[in-house]
Amino acid sequence: MSPTPQKQGGGAAGYILMRPANDVRPRMSRPLRFGLIGLGVLALLLVLLPFLIPLSVYKDRVEQELSGAIGRPVRIEGPMKLTVFPDLGIRAEQVVVANVPGGQAPYLAQADDIRIAASFRALFGGRIEVSQVVVDHPDFRFEVDSRGRANWNIAPAEGRQSGLLDRMKTSVAEVKLADGTARYEDARTNTREDIQNLDATLDWFGKTLALEGELTDSGERIAFVAKAFDPTALVNARASHVDLSLTSDLVQASFKGALTLNGPANGALKFDTPSLRKLAAWRGRSLPNVGGLGPLSIQAHLYRGTASYTLANLKLALDNTAITGALTVDNSQTTSLFKGALALDRLDIDPYILPPGAKPSARADAWDTAPFDLALLTLFDADLTLDIGSLNIRSLNVQRAKIPVVLKAGVLDTRFEQFALYGGTGTMYLHVDASDPVPAFHARFAAHRFAARPFFANMLGVTGIDGTGELSLDATARGQSVAAVMRNLWGRGDVAITEGAIRGADLELAGRAVHLGSPDSSFAYAAAMTFGVLRGSFALAHGELRNEDFGLSNPIVEILGGGTIDLGARKLSFAFRPRARLEHDDRPMNTISDFSAPFRLSGNWNKLEYTPGAAPVAATP
């Protein structure tokens, strides 16, 4: 039965609750009752605290303290509020950190909203223990002026009096940046970088600052991790040891060492990209439309100066080429200058001058008309020494070449002091001017004791000459393809081949057949003519080679001649006069006269015709 309220005293004393006689429940002690009442009042005060304490009264004081702490004006343009749930803290809206005087951006940083969660108990101990700072929609504007001065260096204001932040021990556990943006502008290079969707978390572990997050740069999502072991030094333009890494679909990079923001660096660098071409396009730079410039991998010790980078102990792989050595990139001028000494296991030039997928033509009846692109030579300057194991330039293969390379404003000069060439050796000076739309070339070339057959097959498409060769050439040309260059050759040279043979043709048999009136000299094509010496000098003009002192001899016959070779059209017209070398000829005398009449060799050099003809203009007697 429920207890019945009884009126007591007949007045306004109210009702009391009558208990049954057997009710033995413990009575609440008076201290406990007052304690619970106190907790309820405290909870009510905590709920009402944000409304009872007008933080706007302290906003000016907070702005002064923050401005003095970083040496840069700080404004809280929105309201300040005290928060209780879920944590005790402060919320400030529209916080702005001013830029340096004369800066281009209106501010160094701003945020729509900053929420600071702090420990209530620590405040009574004279400490500010911040458990978390959340910054919504921050926007950073980093600048470097024309004199190389950065706007992010901050330090306490000079002559600043000790304030609240100095008198209290302050610690921050974690800072979160949510959906931020950033811009970097360098007036020295007129470059600009915009970053969106910046989400990051900063944590302090003792003196170590760890930053981890993601951002979007020109459509590429990048994950990053950064650790600074002296962040205060880093912010104030001093060196700190750091551990940095970037990861995206286009690039994976890491750096461990000492670093100063926008200043010197010294440490281990690793860099990988599946496509240098795509990476350059992402950075807003267009590379020439050539077949190379694919996968790139770099491992090196990086030294960064004010305007230069040095890669020591370099291990670099680009496409199918492995490179070691040391390289310095000097950016003090408008065009970057590459300096150093590099060893390359091999280098195939064709992928860097031909369109993607294009290969040198294998046709035997025409020169390659595929245009080559030398725009790579205009992208940078160079002063390099290259030690190349195997070098392929179009159809020419060179082994073990050590060459100095000087490149300036699209003009390349290099000297092949000595290289292996088809079993022999060679030297070459090469000048390439790619500064005009139609490139120009100048080469001085000398080759000694090379195997004639592979050399002439690769250079001229002529496969029927065996022997050991000597060649000197000084030539100039202009053109955007091999075909154009061969039509515009100018210069002179000499050639000599010893202990060889002409295969697929026998000048002796062909000359005799023509002289005797044979209706068919095709049998000579299936034969071969050995010789002790084949020699001649020549001049080049408009792609036409002119010779007046051709000479071929073996123990039986000597053939003298002269004529022209149209290199552009791959045609020749030569007149020959054979004669017997009587001191070596054991044939009957009545056959010696077979060699007294001249004949002519003409047509496309893959389909020549033998006909009677006049003696050479300047045949040697």
Side-chain angles (χ1 to χ4, degrees), residues 28-326:
M28 181 180 295
S29 66
R30 180 173 294 181
L32 178 59
R33 184 183 301 115
F34 286 131
L36 291 175
I37 293 172
L39 288 175
V41 172
L42 180 59
L44 179 61
L45 286 175
L46 289 175
V47 172
L48 296 177
L49 194 60
F51 305 98
L52 297 176
I53 301 178
L55 288 185
S56 58
V57 174
Y58 302 99
K59 186 166 67 172
D60 291 344
R61 177 70 182 278
V62 173
E63 289 178 340
Q64 292 174 8
E65 290 291 337
L66 292 175
S67 299
I70 66 174
R72 197 75 58 81
V74 177
R75 303 190 310 275
I76 302 174
E77 297 180 346
M80 285 183 61
K81 300 177 183 178
L82 184 66
T83 62
V84 176
F85 299 104
D87 297 295
L88 177 67
I90 296 174
R91 177 176 179 175
E93 298 181 10
Q94 299 299 316
V95 180
V96 180
V97 179
N99 200 357
V100 294
Q104 297 299 310
Y107 48 80
L108 170 62
Q110 76 167 10
D112 290 350
D113 184 281
I114 298 179
R115 299 187 300 278
I116 303 173
S119 169
F120 185 76
R121 177 181 296 180
L123 292 174
F124 293 99
R127 304 187 312 276
I128 300 177
E129 291 184 357
V130 177
S131 60
Q132 188 181 66
V133 177
V134 179
V135 184
D136 284 331
H137 306 295
D139 183 22
F140 302 96
R141 301 294 180 92
F142 302 120
E143 298 176 346
V144 179
D145 65 17
S146 58
R147 298 172 61 183
R149 295 174 301 187
N151 72 334
W152 56 76
N153 298 332
I154 58 176
E158 294 183 7
R160 172 174 175 257
Q161 298 297 319
S162 177
L164 176 64
L165 295 178
D166 291 331
R167 293 194 299 269
M168 302 187 74
K169 182 180 178 181
T170 306
S171 65
V172 181
E174 180 182 78
V175 176
K176 287 184 175 293
L177 307 178
D179 196 20
T181 57
R183 175 175 295 176
Y184 171 82
E185 294 184 277
D186 192 333
R188 297 169 302 176
T189 57
N190 196 30
T191 56
R192 170 175 157 175
E193 192 78 18
D194 286 299
I195 291 172
Q196 298 83 33
N197 309 122
L198 172 62
D199 297 297
T201 300
L202 293 88
D203 289 297
W204 274 264
F205 304 97
K207 293 184 177 182
T208 301
L209 171 66
L211 174 65
E212 182 175 358
E214 293 185 341
L215 57 85
T216 301
D217 185 354
S218 301
E220 185 75 9
R221 193 64 175 165
I222 302 172
F224 60 87
V225 177
K227 291 182 180 179
F229 300 96
D230 189 354
T232 302
L234 198 63
V235 171
N236 290 283
R238 300 195 307 273
S240 171
H241 283 279
V242 298
D243 188 346
L244 311 174
S245 68
L246 298 174
T247 303
S248 76
D249 291 339
L250 275 180
V251 62
Q252 296 81 44
S254 67
F255 174 81
K256 294 182 180 181
L259 173 70
T260 302
L261 289 178
N262 201 47
N266 182 350
L269 172 70
K270 291 184 178 181
F271 181 93
D272 291 276
T273 177
S275 173
L276 180 57
R277 177 179 306 286
K278 292 181 179 179
L279 180 66
W282 172 52
R283 305 313 304 151
R285 297 188 177 184
S286 177
L287 295 181
N289 185 34
V290 295
L293 307 177
L296 171 66
S297 176
I298 298 174
Q299 293 187 38
H301 194 98
L302 171 68
Y303 299 91
R304 185 180 76 180
T306 304
S308 66
Y309 300 82
T310 295
L311 300 176
N313 302 320
L314 174 64
K315 294 181 180 179
L316 184 152
L318 175 61
D319 297 321
N320 295 318
T321 300
I323 303 172
T324 59

Side-chain angles (χ1 to χ4, degrees), residues 91 127 138-139 157 220 273 415 443 484 487 490 493 511 516 553-554 574 577 584:
R91 177 176 179 175
R127 304 187 312 276
D139 183 22
E220 185 75 9
T273 177
R415 299 187 310 277
R487 290 193 300 267
W490 295 75
L516 298 177
S553 64
N554 62 26
F574 260 73
R577 189 179 72 188
H584 301 291

